[in-house]
Amino acid sequence: MTTASAHAGQGAVSTGVGRRIAAGVIGGLAGGLVFGALMAMMGMLATIASMVGSASPWVGFGVHLVISILIGLGLTVPFAALLTSYGKGALVGLGYGLLWWILGPLLIMPMMMGMPLFTINAMALMSLMGHLIYGVILAVVAVRVFQSKS
């Protein structure tokens, strides 16, 4: 093996469809668990539960994890080529978290609940931090999945 081919194999990313799905599920779940814990501390899970007609924080946590996995798949299935290193993954994750902060709590959720759109307040800013953390965790876990041997 030449030096060039040996170097090309280092950090190689496996991005078949199955690996992309695994990366989205695992990364989305990892980010969702951390963000969900933060949401629990802020008392936000009942609000998430209200999207499905419940007031239970446990239902809210379950809904949040399902959404986290789906959003994870939304990054890893079509955009695996962007997740080639931990540094690049972290930057992509920050951007993806920001995108979902705008789409989720500033647009979709208020529309579903009949609330004003794009309301920026202290709760929205805490949500921004949670979405950024989620995005970074999702992306770096996905990079790890892509780089793992199997």
Side-chain angles (χ1 to χ4, degrees):
M1 183 182 287
T2 65
T3 305
S5 62
H7 181 67
Q10 293 177 350
V13 176
S14 172
T15 58
V17 174
R19 185 61 63 101
R20 291 172 186 229
I21 291 170
V25 170
I26 296 167
L29 190 57
L33 286 169
V34 173
F35 188 15
L38 296 172
M39 292 171 73
M41 289 188 281
M42 294 186 289
M44 295 174 63
L45 292 175
T47 302
I48 301 302
S50 71
M51 293 171 41
V52 295
S54 175
S56 167
W58 289 106
V59 170
F61 190 65
V63 169
H64 168 73
L65 290 180
V66 169
I67 293 169
S68 296
I69 290 169
L70 293 173
I71 290 173
L73 292 167
L75 176 63
T76 62
V77 172
F79 301 111
L82 299 176
L83 303 172
T84 56
S85 70
Y86 292 113
K88 188 173 180 183
L91 290 175
V92 168
L94 283 172
Y96 197 64
L98 177 63
L99 171 69
W100 276 104
W101 174 67
I102 294 166
L103 291 175
L106 297 185
L107 181 64
I108 296 169
M109 192 168 159
M111 281 178 21
M112 289 178 67
M113 300 175 73
M115 298 165 55
L117 307 181
F118 301 107
T119 300
I120 306 293
N121 54 28
M123 188 63 74
L125 293 176
M126 288 191 289
S127 177
L128 170 60
M129 292 305 300
H131 281 84
L132 294 176
I133 292 166
Y134 165 83
V136 170
I137 293 171
L138 160 63
V140 298
V141 169
V143 168
R144 178 68 184 115
V145 171
F146 289 143
Q147 292 181 351
S148 67
K149 295 178 177 149
S150 63

